[in-house]
Amino acid sequence: MPALPSSLIEPLWDQFEALIPPVQDNHPLGCHRPRVPARIVFEKLVARLVLGGSYTKHADHRVSATTLRARRDEWITGGVFTALEQHVLEAFDWLIGLDLEHLSVDGCCVKAPCGGDNTGPNPTDRGKSGQKRSVLTEGHGLPVGVVIAGANRHDSRLLESSLECLSRFGFHLPERIRVDLDAGYDSKKTRDTLDRLGCEHRISPKGEFIKINHTRRWKVERVNSWHTRGFGLLQVVLDRSAPVQQAWIQLANTIIVLKRLLKETWPRFRWDSRPVKQYQWR
């Protein structure tokens, strides 16, 4: 069973392939073993992201675990994952339009038993090693930025760096921006930070129960659920290197945005490979 349906992985691969930097073969004799096709490695990496597990479990007779790691690092160095996420966000903004006037930020802690970069003792998990993801979503509920840090970092300390992810859109930002936050951000420091950045805010007060569907925060909570429930590799951090951790998150965000983009464009546009039924992306 494929990790993603063909109607989703085919457009994802088309854009990914266009971003892969050209390979320069400088072998003096030209008799080394041929490179494993990029499509095979790409599908293996997507399968690991969705299903989780180690590289050795996803390796087979076509590609080894060492090749998976080497090609992953090669593509990270070439900026493929960063550019892929940027392209899909720009495509959504061009066809549908990103709602950057209504933002939400929230943190999510996951286990990191192997330790490594951006990990720390999780105070909610008996001090075990964990990682925190501070997720920034726009008005449609799509992730537009993720900041990773140790699980012992407070959410409010990651707020400014999370909002700085908007710099990826250049100067095309709305004049009025409102940020919705939960009670964990209810402090004078948070309000001073938002005022300094010129952002309006709506923060749930401490000690009061407000249903999440009465605010816009349910959208960022949904993204956190997509990360941990839809991608097995994001449930538990197994990679120790910060660039690798960020690359997996960028690929997951790309899949989330692309899935929503295809769903939104299906009733509005027509193209040759458009599936007959829309439910294939749900």
Side-chain angles (χ1 to χ4, degrees), residues 9-37:
I9 199 170
E10 289 301 331
L12 182 65
W13 163 248
D14 290 341
Q15 183 61 66
F16 192 91
E17 184 183 24
L19 296 173
I20 297 177
V23 179
Q24 297 181 356
D25 190 356
N26 298 323
H27 195 278
L29 301 179
C31 58
H32 56 83
R33 180 180 298 178
R35 283 172 63 92
V36 178

Side-chain angles (χ1 to χ4, degrees), residues 109-112 120-130 151:
C109 288
V110 293
K111 295 179 180 294
N122 189 348
T124 64
D125 192 20
R126 296 174 292 176
K128 294 182 179 180
S129 178

Side-chain angles (χ1 to χ4, degrees), residues 6-280:
S6 60
S7 57
L8 185 61
I9 199 170
E10 289 301 331
L12 182 65
W13 163 248
D14 290 341
Q15 183 61 66
F16 192 91
E17 184 183 24
L19 296 173
I20 297 177
V23 179
Q24 297 181 356
D25 190 356
N26 298 323
H27 195 278
L29 301 179
C31 58
H32 56 83
R33 180 180 298 178
R35 283 172 63 92
V36 178
R39 177 63 185 265
I40 296 178
V41 179
F42 170 75
E43 290 184 352
K44 290 292 184 180
L45 293 180
V46 172
R48 182 172 186 259
L49 172 64
V50 176
L51 304 177
S54 63
Y55 290 96
T56 55
K57 290 187 177 180
H58 291 278
D60 55 18
H61 65 282
R62 299 178 299 170
V63 57
S64 65
T66 302
T67 301
L68 291 177
R69 297 188 188 95
R71 201 71 63 87
R72 173 208 66 190
D73 295 338
E74 178 182 320
W75 291 341
I76 291 175
T77 304
V80 177
F81 295 98
T82 302
L84 184 67
E85 183 187 24
Q86 183 68 21
H87 283 340
V88 74
L89 287 173
E90 292 177 354
F92 190 94
D93 191 23
W94 179 51
L95 294 172
I96 308 299
L98 292 171
D99 183 7
L100 299 178
E101 294 185 1
H102 303 91
L103 306 177
S104 299
V105 183
D106 195 16
C108 174
C109 288
V110 293
K111 295 179 180 294
C114 299
D117 299 334
N118 300 311
T119 61
N122 189 348
T124 64
D125 192 20
R126 296 174 292 176
K128 294 182 179 180
S129 178
Q131 184 179 90
K132 175 167 290 186
R133 293 193 293 262
S134 179
V135 182
L136 171 67
T137 60
E138 47 87 59
H140 295 94
L142 299 177
V144 294
V146 178
V147 175
I148 53 179
N152 55 331
R153 293 288 301 277
H154 195 272
D155 291 351
S156 61
R157 295 183 178 272
L158 303 176
L159 175 61
E160 184 172 359
S161 56
S162 300
L163 294 175
E164 289 176 353
C165 294
L166 294 176
S167 60
R168 69 192 313 166
F169 302 107
F171 297 99
H172 304 286
L173 296 177
E175 296 182 0
R176 176 183 176 274
I177 297 178
R178 195 187 82 177
V179 184
D180 288 75
L181 304 168
D182 62 14
Y185 297 87
D186 187 12
S187 65
K188 183 178 182 300
K189 181 179 179 180
T190 299
R191 292 182 174 84
D192 293 340
T193 300
L194 293 173
D195 292 339
R196 177 167 50 83
L197 296 176
C199 298
E200 300 179 9
H201 50 80
R202 182 176 181 183
I203 306 175
S204 300
K206 293 181 180 179
E208 295 185 19
F209 175 74
I210 299 178
K211 293 184 178 180
I212 193 171
N213 58 347
H214 291 179
T215 66
R216 288 181 173 268
R217 289 192 303 102
W218 66 270
K219 296 181 179 181
V220 69
E221 298 287 355
R222 182 180 61 179
V223 172
N224 286 330
S225 177
W226 285 342
H227 279 164
T228 55
R229 299 300 180 184
F231 303 97
L233 195 59
L234 299 187
Q235 292 182 6
V236 180
V237 179
L238 300 178
D239 296 275
R240 297 173 55 86
S241 173
V244 178
Q245 297 169 3
Q246 193 68 40
W248 289 122
I249 296 175
Q250 290 169 343
L251 183 57
N253 290 342
T254 301
I255 295 174
I256 291 174
V257 178
L258 178 60
K259 188 175 181 180
R260 181 64 177 273
L261 176 61
L262 294 174
K263 182 178 180 181
E264 293 290 339
T265 55
W266 189 88
R268 306 185 188 189
F269 305 98
R270 298 292 185 271
W271 60 93
D272 295 338
S273 59
R274 176 177 178 268
V276 179
K277 298 183 179 180
Q278 184 181 7
Y279 70 84
Q280 298 182 27

